[in-house]
Amino acid sequence: NAGVTQTPKFQVLKTGQSMTLQCAQDMNHEYMSWYRQDPGMGLRLIHYSVGAGITDQGEVPNGYNVSRSTTEDFPLRLLSAAPSQTSVYFCASRLTGTGLYEQYFGPGTRLTVT
Amino acid sequence: GESVGLHLPTLSVQEGDNSIINCAYSNSASDYFIWYKQESGKGPQFIIDIRSNMDKRQGQRVTVLLNKTVKHLSLQIAATQPGDSAVYFCAEIRARLGGYNKLIFGAGTRLAVHP
């Protein structure tokens, strides 16, 4: 198993540009989520999905869109990049069900918006 | 607002000593807590978890203690090794009415192990 994979590892965008951060997992996990990590802020939940076709907002959803057309993939779209979106982005997945909370994280995407 | 946070941003220990990383939480309704380890340039890695109906749980060289009275969580690492150097996060599960549980992370604390 590759686990959770993310592409790209690094990205630089200009303000106003759009892009999609890719996330895929091969563990057949129902639950997938996106976090951003900023210095001194820990990880904050952006969006999450409990299965194909189902998504919901986390703590900081503004400026981001997600979709879940398959169990494996959960892309995160930045519609119009802003410097405030400079961060490290982590995708995570886990099984759903009572007591199944262990999340597996991808290696992260470091995004810089100039 | 409610949050999960950590008392110490940086903890320096000597190799072989025991480490204790502390975390305070404010949501008394949270019923599940997790500790994650994050090494430089990598995603967080699950270490150990504990339910609110427990006071203590032990893993390999790690122990998590939960004090619900004062809403405090700690991670103890025995015989700390250089490979333990990382940032450690506590996280809580907050149940959402009519929705799915979300994992809320604290700010993190850095553990530096010196030879």
Side-chain angles (χ1 to χ4, degrees):
Chain A
N1 284 352
V4 180
T5 58
Q6 291 182 238
T7 56
K9 288 186 70 69
F10 301 94
Q11 182 70 51
V12 179
L13 291 177
K14 288 183 166 47
T15 297
Q17 287 184 315
S18 62
M19 80 157 294
T20 299
L21 279 63
Q22 301 293 342
C23 174
Q25 51 89 13
D26 61 358
M27 298 174 282
N28 204 32
H29 286 172
E30 301 96 337
Y31 184 98
M32 296 185 73
S33 53
W34 276 101
Y35 293 86
R36 60 176 290 172
Q37 184 174 36
D38 304 297
M41 299 288 289
L43 285 87
R44 292 182 292 168
L45 182 65
I46 304 172
H47 285 285
Y48 68 99
S49 168
V50 298
I54 306 170
T55 64
D56 203 351
Q57 296 181 346
E59 299 175 82
V60 288
N62 292 342
Y64 307 95
N65 272 1
V66 291
S67 60
R68 185 92 179 273
S69 56
T70 67
T71 300
E72 294 78 20
D73 301 296
F74 191 43
L76 178 72
R77 279 183 287 278
L78 280 70
L79 308 173
S80 178
S84 61
Q85 293 179 304
T86 294
S87 187
V88 182
Y89 291 84
F90 289 100
C91 178
S93 73
R94 64 171 171 85
L95 292 167
T96 56
T98 302
L100 298 174
Y101 296 125
E102 181 176 348
Q103 292 203 87
Y104 296 82
F105 283 83
T109 294
R110 184 174 294 275
L111 175 68
T112 303
V113 183
T114 61
Chain B
E2 295 179 317
S3 65
V4 175
L6 295 175
H7 294 306
L8 299 174
T10 305
L11 177 65
S12 294
V13 299
Q14 291 294 123
E15 182 178 355
D17 287 351
N18 296 335
S19 303
I20 300 176
I21 302 171
N22 296 302
C23 177
Y25 64 95
S26 57
N27 188 343
S28 56
S30 294
D31 63 355
Y32 187 84
F33 303 89
I34 305 175
W35 280 100
Y36 282 90
K37 173 186 180 183
Q38 186 176 23
E39 296 173 280
S40 181
K42 296 183 180 179
Q45 181 183 10
F46 175 93
I47 302 173
I48 192 169
D49 58 1
I50 188 168
R51 293 195 170 280
S52 61
N53 60 356
M54 301 169 69
D55 297 322
K56 178 179 179 179
R57 190 163 188 221
Q58 287 184 291
Q60 189 177 12
R61 280 202 309 119
V62 295
T63 301
V64 56
L65 299 178
L66 177 62
N67 185 331
K68 294 180 287 293
T69 302
V70 295
K71 288 183 276 188
H72 185 266
L73 192 68
S74 69
L75 177 71
Q76 300 179 0
I77 304 173
T80 312
Q81 301 168 0
D84 295 326
S85 294
V87 176
Y88 290 80
F89 294 93
C90 64
E92 66 177 312
I93 294 286
R94 295 184 186 178
R96 240 181 44 157
L97 197 63
Y100 284 82
N101 299 330
K102 293 180 184 176
L103 193 63
I104 304 297
F105 283 81
T109 192
R110 182 173 302 280
L111 176 65
V113 183
H114 302 286

